[in-house]
Amino acid sequence: MLKTIGAAFVLIGTVFGGYSNVLRLKKREKQLRDLAEALEKIQAELTFHAPPLARIFGGMMGVYPGEIGGFFGEWAGTLGGAAGGEAGVIGGQLTQTWFSLLTEEEQSVLHPLFFTLGRYDIEVQKNALEEAKVHLNRYAQKAAEDRLRLSRVYMVLSVALGVMVVLVCL
Amino acid sequence: MENAYLLGRFEAAAGFLPEHLRGKVNALPLRAKLQAEEFRLRLERPLFVTYFWGEETISGTKITENDLETVLNIVSGSSVHTVLDQLKRGFVALRGGHRLGVCGTAVMERGEIGTLKDFSSLCLRIAKEYRNVATPVIPMVCRDGEMLNTLILSAPGGGKTTLLRDMIRRLSNGENCVTKRVGLVDERGEIAGIWNGRATLDVGARTDVMDRVSKGKGIQFLLKGLNPQLIALDEVTEEEDLEGMKQAVGCGVTLLATAHAGDFRDFTRRKLYKSVLNEEIFERFVEISNFGGNREYHVLNGAGERLC
């Protein structure tokens, strides 16, 4: 009886590990899609209202309660007194904090944007947003493919690993 | 004027400077803080503070490109696009009525300044509201309590805007004169200290402010829509302004304006103003003279004869 319970725990543990990886893939894809969507919203705000960035970013907190909102909210708080290109540097640092699921390459497509937002006229900012958005959408597409491909692999491997451990131990 | 008020204005304006420069100006002696009129930031030069007697450097400072960009970031909330229109015109109106003048390389578009780049100088002007400076002037520019067309004359930085603002406030509130519905054309948003559409300096209860528009166009706008009894404007410098003023007088509206001129004689020598003098538009002129920081006001009639 004890052995059966132990085996069940081992199996649940390995399946949970596999499922966590699947969730991570899902979350990464969602983060990329949401980020691209957020950039589109910023682009629209700049086109139609052109308010200060802090106000746009503040609005993002309401629309995206998770990491995206947190990122823009924290960045908005640093904007007022930022020296020269400091806002861009801060944006880059916050990316690492809030978007740890994204690879370095994925994070790096945002950096030129951080050094453009708020420092040039609307057209230049919109172009930078468009470029970052194109890259993010491409990464999101790749992330979706990775999720489809790897989700099954992770699940099969986690179940197989659990069964193997159970068999070895029993 | 209360020292606490002047100190507050100084500190508020210093708040637009980068942190290290703010620290330096905040360390100035109290007397200097109370009398400071401007902060001048010129690339690769020390920070200057302007007083009525001239400019003084703040030792140990050297303005960098980063400093200039930081000031712009502070005034725009790191959103330069929100002030680009103002930058094209050479100044940015700031919270509290302060004003940032800019200078740099102009990018021309179709014969006009499209934008500015490579900023080389910034001038942060500390807005101060001197109440009651118009007290001795108002009775002299009124006849039977009714305001006469009046032009205030002084050299740049002589206190024209300060006197104009206080006169507008008094006329609008009906202090020592017949109450007037005032239309104010505030091209630079400096008289009323317009910031985000709100007047941050007191220009009276019955004053309608039209800002960020050329004076000539502003006058026409006010005449068409707001039926003012008095139109006030600062620094008449162009033919278009004069045409607008003549139109206003033709509509029976009283004028209160300012112009750059050392005194009345200097004013009469200016070619631009010949038509104004010939048509005898103004019945009163106010000359402002500055003696060691103390301003004196002299009122003249239309012929240039001193009344007081």
Side-chain angles (χ1 to χ4, degrees):
Chain A
M1 180 64 182
L2 208 61
K3 278 184 178 175
T4 313
I5 293 169
F9 268 116
V10 168
L11 201 57
I12 288 167
T14 54
V15 168
F16 180 75
Y19 188 65
S20 302
N21 276 329
V22 173
L23 276 183
R24 210 173 138 271
L25 289 172
K26 263 188 182 173
K27 204 172 167 189
R28 182 167 164 272
E29 184 198 340
K30 188 175 181 318
Q31 214 167 64
L32 285 163
R33 287 207 188 285
D34 282 353
L35 201 48
E37 194 184 286
L39 296 191
E40 193 161 339
K41 282 195 165 71
I42 294 173
Q43 215 174 4
E45 280 290 319
L46 284 174
T47 306
F48 298 113
H49 309 294
L53 289 182
R55 201 182 301 166
I56 303 180
F57 292 173
M60 290 292 151
M61 289 169 71
V63 182
Y64 301 98
E67 289 90 351
I68 310 275
F71 165 77
F72 283 115
E74 197 172 339
W75 197 17
T78 65
L79 286 178
E86 206 177 77
V89 176
I90 294 169
Q93 288 164 350
L94 291 175
T95 314
Q96 290 169 3
T97 314
W98 287 96
F99 305 129
S100 55
L101 291 177
L102 306 191
T103 63
E104 229 170 82
E105 191 190 333
E106 286 162 352
Q107 288 178 10
S108 71
V109 302
L110 294 168
H111 289 181
L113 174 67
F114 296 151
F115 285 93
T116 306
L117 279 181
R119 298 180 73 193
Y120 296 92
D121 65 33
I122 300 280
E123 280 310 308
V124 175
Q125 293 185 63
K126 274 163 62 182
N127 290 344
L129 282 160
E130 187 61 38
E131 198 178 329
K133 211 173 67 184
V134 167
H135 285 298
L136 287 173
N137 280 327
R138 188 164 51 81
Y139 286 126
Q141 184 61 37
K142 193 168 170 290
E145 287 164 14
D146 285 350
R147 181 176 58 80
L148 281 174
R149 190 166 44 86
L150 295 173
S151 291
R152 237 175 261 161
V153 175
Y154 281 138
M155 286 314 289
V156 170
L157 277 178
S158 63
V159 172
L161 182 69
V163 170
M164 207 169 78
V165 171
V166 168
L167 288 176
V168 168
C169 292
L170 284 179
Chain B
M1 187 175 287
E2 276 184 36
N3 285 356
Y5 169 78
L6 291 173
L7 191 60
R9 301 305 292 169
F10 177 90
E11 284 171 357
F16 294 107
L17 295 173
E19 213 169 328
H20 68 103
L21 297 177
R22 204 180 308 157
K24 293 271 186 188
V25 298
N26 280 333
L28 285 171
L30 179 67
R31 190 174 149 272
K33 286 185 190 178
L34 301 180
Q35 295 183 330
E37 292 177 350
E38 290 170 345
F39 300 117
R40 286 189 172 264
L41 296 88
R42 300 181 179 102
L43 193 59
E44 293 179 357
R45 300 278 183 277
L47 172 68
F48 287 87
V49 181
T50 309
Y51 305 94
F52 68 84
W53 63 81
E55 292 184 16
E56 288 190 2
T57 56
I58 303 290
S59 58
T61 57
K62 189 179 180 187
I63 304 300
T64 62
E65 279 177 36
N66 199 45
D67 290 329
L68 300 182
E69 197 178 344
T70 303
V71 174
L72 283 171
N73 277 349
I74 293 171
V75 303
S76 69
S78 292
S79 309
V80 170
H81 58 268
T82 58
V83 295
L84 273 182
D85 278 355
Q86 296 183 63
L87 287 177
K88 282 181 200 174
R89 301 175 66 151
F91 62 89
V92 181
L94 308 176
R95 185 178 60 243
H98 308 289
R99 193 187 71 188
L100 181 74
V102 295
C103 192
T105 308
V107 179
M108 302 302 283
E109 286 172 12
R110 288 184 288 274
E112 289 188 359
I113 295 176
T115 188
L116 280 180
K117 62 173 191 173
D118 303 332
F119 293 100
S120 55
S121 302
L122 298 176
C123 169
L124 181 55
R125 190 158 193 183
I126 306 167
K128 292 173 193 166
E129 200 175 359
Y130 289 89
R131 282 174 175 259
N132 302 324
V133 289
T135 306
V137 177
I138 290 279
M140 302 305 294
V141 296
C142 291
R143 189 184 292 141
D144 303 326
E146 282 288 342
M147 172 86 183
L148 301 167
N149 292 334
T150 302
L151 187 67
I152 302 166
L153 307 171
S154 105
K160 291 184 295 293
T161 308
T162 303
L163 177 64
L164 177 69
R165 186 187 299 119
D166 198 45
M167 286 179 79
I168 293 168
R169 183 180 64 78
R170 284 174 161 267
L171 291 160
S172 177
N173 291 339
E175 294 174 27
N176 298 30
C177 54
V178 174
T179 307
K180 291 279 184 187
R181 186 168 53 248
V182 181
L184 169 61
V185 187
D186 197 358
E187 190 171 2
R188 291 180 294 188
E190 194 180 18
I191 307 167
I194 297 290
W195 190 72
N196 279 356
R198 291 188 186 87
T200 58
L201 302 173
D202 188 1
V203 284
R206 294 173 192 82
T207 303
D208 304 304
V209 187
M210 184 76 194
D211 69 314
R212 312 290 152 75
V213 63
S214 70
K215 288 173 274 275
K217 288 195 173 64
I219 290 172
Q220 285 181 14
F221 194 95
L222 288 169
L223 286 174
K224 282 177 192 163
L226 286 154
N227 186 24
Q229 294 168 318
L230 184 146
I231 286 183
L233 55 150
D234 200 10
E235 292 179 9
V236 176
T237 50
E238 290 176 28
E239 195 63 48
E240 187 201 5
D241 307 343
L242 299 176
E243 287 308 313
M245 282 162 45
K246 287 174 193 169
Q247 197 181 345
V249 171
C251 295
V253 176
T254 310
L255 279 179
L256 174 59
T258 73
H260 281 307
D263 52 26
F264 181 76
R265 189 180 288 181
D266 184 19
F267 176 75
T268 56
R269 280 198 290 259
R270 307 277 169 102
K271 198 178 164 192
L272 176 73
Y273 304 121
K274 287 277 186 232
S275 64
V276 173
L277 284 166
N278 292 340
E279 291 178 36
E280 296 177 355
I281 287 178
F282 291 102
E283 294 157 276
R284 290 288 184 272
F285 293 91
V286 181
E287 289 176 344
I288 307 175
S289 11
N290 201 331
F291 295 105
N294 294 320
R295 286 177 179 132
E296 283 184 11
Y297 303 103
H298 304 289
V299 181
L300 292 77
N301 65 13
E305 292 156 352
R306 193 175 276 196
L307 302 176
C308 75

